[in-house]
Amino acid sequence: MSLRDALDKVRTAAIKDVLAAGSAAELTRVRVHYLGRKGELTLRLKELADLPEKERKAAGEAGNQVKVAIEKELSRREADFASTASAKIGETEWIDVTAPGTPVPEGHLHLTTQAIREITALFRRLGFTRVRYPEADYDWYAFEALNMPPDHPARDEWETFFVDLPPGEKGKVVLTPHTSNGQIHELERKELPIRMINISKCYRRQSDVSHVPMFHQFEGLVIDKGISVTHLKGVLDHFAKAYFGADRRTRLRPFHFRFTEPSFEVDISCDICGGTGLLAGGAVCRLCKQGWVELGGAGMVHPNVLKATGVDPEQWGGFAFGWGVERTFMMKAGVKIDDLRVLYKNDLHFLHQF
Ligand code: FA5
């Protein structure tokens, strides 16, 4: 058989196979069988090289025509299969544009941030201005100007972290163990009267169910003329009722702070045990043990603090209070957390509950 005849035979067989293919995958197999690297037509075309030169050109052209004819038929059938497949998508894949969408997971602010915002808004309504002061500060602001001279034993209660820096004019640098440093910064500005609410991070070497090493306090300071302890009591009562609910009880316990006189600890009835100290089965409440949880300290600003900042205690006076943000949040009605440390474990199962 001449090469021409052989090529015609390949064309006829190939086109027959193309027409018989029942799917796009079968078509691919036909393509490989005839046009692939070792395909039938490809092998025939390789034989061209053995022909005498005068026949080679015409045979080459004939071979090319066969190739073009097969390609054309293959492409036509491939296009048929593709359009049938896309027509079928309409039957199997559809979307109901009226169906409710899948909700995108939404985050929320951390519970402490939420509490800080709520506390700030509450005091703002009473005319307090939110301020911020450094969280790494000099000894003078954290202790000395607060009537706690160097080596005074009262300092021990603050279990302070010292920063490893050479001491400056105002003493060593500490991570603020409370927000009372804000009182001194605020008084030093000499813009009286004062109604500040200073909220920031505090650091102490403590960790148990009601203590974390990094926590937040909010510190109020009111300096004016004619301020008495009844103003303090009024502000604290207002805050407790607005934040916790009218049914929660607060109490002031006499206490001692070096920077206030008289001084108090402010307690609130525990929400975990309803202020009884006992849980339903009779077990002692893990958080409060006796029905009350301490929220923070308060008192009338000590004259020595005013003197240290150059404010005349004969003319000016006022009160201050400093409470823990986390403890305050924890005691909110319905929160019922019996271990403060969960707030900072980054456990989303816990955080998403709120
Ligand atoms: C003080 O820090 C005083 N500066 C408060 C004060 C301000 C008194 C102004 C008078 C006038 P105290 O050490 O008790 O006081 O801390 C106050 C509150 O901070 C505590 O009652 C508690 O709510 C919170 N707190 C203290 N340590 C921690 C801690 N490690 N983790 C979480 N909260 C804490």
Side-chain angles (χ1 to χ4, degrees):
M1 196 186 341
S2 72
L3 182 58
R4 283 277 183 113
D5 292 343
L7 286 171
D8 279 345
K9 230 176 134 192
V10 172
R11 179 192 1 223
T12 312
I15 291 181
K16 195 171 150 225
D17 285 355
V18 169
L19 294 176
S23 67
E26 268 180 50
L27 266 189
T28 307
R29 277 196 292 275
V30 174
R31 178 185 282 282
V32 173
H33 181 79
Y34 289 98
L35 305 180
R37 233 166 14 102
K38 288 187 181 158
E40 265 190 46
L41 180 64
T42 317
L43 293 179
R44 289 276 174 229
L45 294 178
K46 277 189 183 153
E47 288 171 17
L48 286 172
D50 304 332
L51 287 180
E53 205 176 326
K54 55 183 171 41
E55 288 173 35
R56 210 183 291 157
K57 188 168 176 237
E61 274 168 17
N64 213 29
Q65 279 167 11
V66 170
K67 193 174 179 192
V68 169
I70 298 174
E71 282 277 11
K72 198 172 152 199
E73 209 52 38
L74 273 167
S75 308
R76 199 176 56 77
R77 289 294 288 149
E78 277 164 358
D80 283 352
F81 281 120
S83 76
T84 323
S86 67
K88 276 198 181 145
I89 283 181
E91 290 163 27
T92 52
E93 289 180 24
W94 54 275
I95 183 167
D96 176 359
V97 291
T98 62
T102 313
V104 179
E106 236 181 80
H108 62 70
L109 292 174
H110 189 272
L111 306 179
T112 306
T113 310
Q114 291 180 27
I116 288 174
R117 293 196 174 186
E118 195 178 345
I119 292 165
T120 307
L122 236 149
F123 280 103
R124 197 169 280 150
R125 288 201 285 278
L126 293 181
F128 286 73
T129 302
R130 165 100 195 257
V131 297
R132 287 154 202 258
Y133 287 107
E135 291 169 4
D137 209 351
Y138 292 107
D139 183 286
W140 165 258
Y141 294 99
F143 293 116
E144 198 165 345
L146 287 163
N147 203 23
M148 284 185 271
D151 303 321
H152 196 282
R155 290 175 171 225
D156 293 351
E157 285 166 34
W158 275 269
E159 302 196 40
T160 311
F161 291 106
F162 286 85
V163 181
D164 203 1
L165 282 174
E169 240 176 67
K170 299 204 164 178
K172 291 182 182 163
V173 178
V174 299
L175 295 185
T176 48
H178 56 174
T179 40
S180 298
N181 64 323
Q183 291 188 34
I184 305 304
H185 284 285
E186 194 64 21
L187 284 162
E188 280 186 349
R189 289 175 65 229
K190 303 259 169 24
E191 285 185 21
L192 302 167
I194 294 170
R195 269 190 206 186
M196 77 151 201
I197 188 88
N198 174 31
I199 310 185
S200 78
K201 293 190 188 78
C202 303
Y203 305 85
R204 294 187 197 179
R205 211 169 156 270
Q206 298 169 337
S207 177
D208 59 42
V209 292
S210 55
H211 295 87
V212 277
M214 188 285 299
F215 60 103
H216 297 74
Q217 282 185 348
F218 56 104
E219 179 105 3
L221 175 70
V222 170
I223 300 290
D224 210 328
K225 290 179 176 164
I227 300 287
S228 76
V229 86
T230 55
H231 294 112
L232 166 65
K233 183 90 171 59
V235 167
L236 297 185
D237 277 352
H238 172 83
F239 175 78
K241 293 217 174 341
Y243 191 81
F244 298 109
D247 60 324
R248 302 291 286 283
R249 288 164 293 138
T250 54
R251 72 175 182 189
L252 293 186
R253 262 184 300 120
F255 199 72
H256 176 74
F257 289 107
R258 292 278 301 172
F259 36 94
T260 46
E261 180 58 35
S263 303
F264 311 99
E265 285 278 33
V266 187
D267 297 338
I268 183 152
S269 55
C270 176
D271 187 46
I272 302 276
C273 62
T276 60
L278 295 173
L279 300 176
V284 172
C285 177
R286 182 169 170 235
L287 179 69
C288 71
K289 301 184 183 71
Q290 31 72 39
W292 296 93
V293 182
E294 171 200 315
L295 290 178
M300 303 309 289
V301 177
H302 197 290
N304 286 354
V305 172
L306 298 175
K307 279 188 213 150
T309 53
V311 175
D312 180 2
E314 297 300 324
Q315 280 197 56
W316 299 93
F319 62 80
F321 55 89
W323 293 13
V325 171
E326 291 82 355
R327 291 253 195 113
T328 303
F329 171 74
M330 207 171 159
M331 284 296 107
K332 205 173 168 60
V335 171
K336 301 209 188 289
I337 301 173
D338 69 355
D339 186 339
L340 202 76
R341 291 168 295 191
V342 295
L343 282 174
Y344 295 116
K345 281 195 176 151
N346 286 338
D347 177 354
L348 293 181
H349 294 297
F350 166 75
L351 294 172
H352 278 159
Q353 290 175 63
F354 300 93

